[in-house]
Amino acid sequence: MEYPKAHPWTLKKLGFLKKYLPAFVKATQKALSRHYVDGFAGPGYNQQTDGSLVEGSPLLAIQHPQFTSFFFVEENRSSYTELERNLRERDPGLRGIHLYRGDFNFLVDNILQQIHPRAPTLFFLDPFGLELRWTTVEKIAGREKADIFILISSSGANRARKNHPHTLDEFFGDASWQNVRQKPGQSWFEAFTEAYRDRMRGLGLNGTGLVTVARNSNNAPMHVLAFHSKNKIALQIANAVFSRIETDPVQPGLRFGE
C-alpha cells in the first residue's frame, strides 16, 4: 500500500515521541504497570519524498518493552491490515499488543477497562481531522494518571466551522467554540486551539506552554501538536522535549500562557 506522507511536521511529531517515550518509561519505572494507547495508529510507516520509510508511532512505541501493554486502534481496513503485518514482523507473537479495527471513540471504554485506573498511561491521539470526540477526552481525563499527546487540525476545524458545525460541537464538547474571540494578531484557529486547551485544563489536564505547529507556505498554522497531563513532571519533560525540537525559525512553535 501507499503509506502516508512524512511531512516535516510528521517528522517533528515522531521526533517528540522518540524523545518522550524513554523519558516516560524512566519516570514511571516504580509503577506496577504502564500502558500506551494509540487511537489513530495508521499503517505503521510514513513515506518520505525520496521513497524511504520512516517508522510511525506504533513501531516506535513497541521498541520500549517496559510497557505492560500497547493498544493500537485503526479504522481503515487496509491500514489496519498493514499495521498488523508490520507489527508481526517485529514481534510475531504480538506480546502485550492489542489490535483493534474501528472507531477509537467507540472502543475507548473497552480499552480503559483493561488498564488499572492508577496505571500511568500515554495516549497518542493523532487523527487526520476532527475524528476525536470530546466525550472520549473526558473519559480519558477521568483517569488518575493520563498523558495525552494530541493533534488539532486547522484544515479540519476551518472546514467544519463553515460547513459542518456539528462536527466542531462534538470535537469541542459543545457549541461554545462559536464564541471564541481572537486576540490582536491571532488567527481564528490559534484562538480556537487556545480555547480547546483551556477546556482540557478544566478537566485537570494541564498543558505545556509550548506546542508544535505545522505551517503552510503562507506561515499559517495547519496543525497544532499539543501535550496535556495531570502530572507536573510529565509536563516538565514534555516542555523540555518541545524546546529541543523547536529549532526551525521558519516553522516556529506557539507559546501559550498558563
Side-chain angles (χ1 to χ4, degrees), residues 7-58:
H7 297 288
W9 61 86
T10 304
L11 299 177
K12 192 180 289 188
K13 170 183 62 184
L14 296 174
F16 176 93
L17 196 58
K18 285 181 182 178
K19 291 179 172 61
Y20 189 78
L21 280 168
F24 179 89
V25 167
K26 183 177 180 180
T28 62
Q29 59 185 333
K30 293 184 179 180
L32 295 177
S33 66
R34 65 197 57 76
H35 308 268
Y36 177 91
V37 179
D38 200 327
F40 307 86
Y45 283 101
N46 294 87
Q47 190 166 18
Q48 301 193 85
T49 53
D50 63 1
S52 60
L53 298 179
V54 178
E55 292 174 324
S57 53

Side-chain angles (χ1 to χ4, degrees), residues 209-228:
L210 180 67
V211 299
T212 289
V213 181
R215 300 175 186 270
N216 61 20
S217 57
N218 296 321
N219 206 36
M222 296 171 60
H223 308 289
V224 162
L225 308 169
F227 181 90
H228 284 254

Side-chain angles (χ1 to χ4, degrees), residues 132-144:
L132 178 66
R133 296 182 182 179
W134 183 254
T135 52
T136 301
V137 176
E138 287 181 316
K139 292 172 182 177
I140 295 172
R143 300 188 60 79
E144 181 177 323

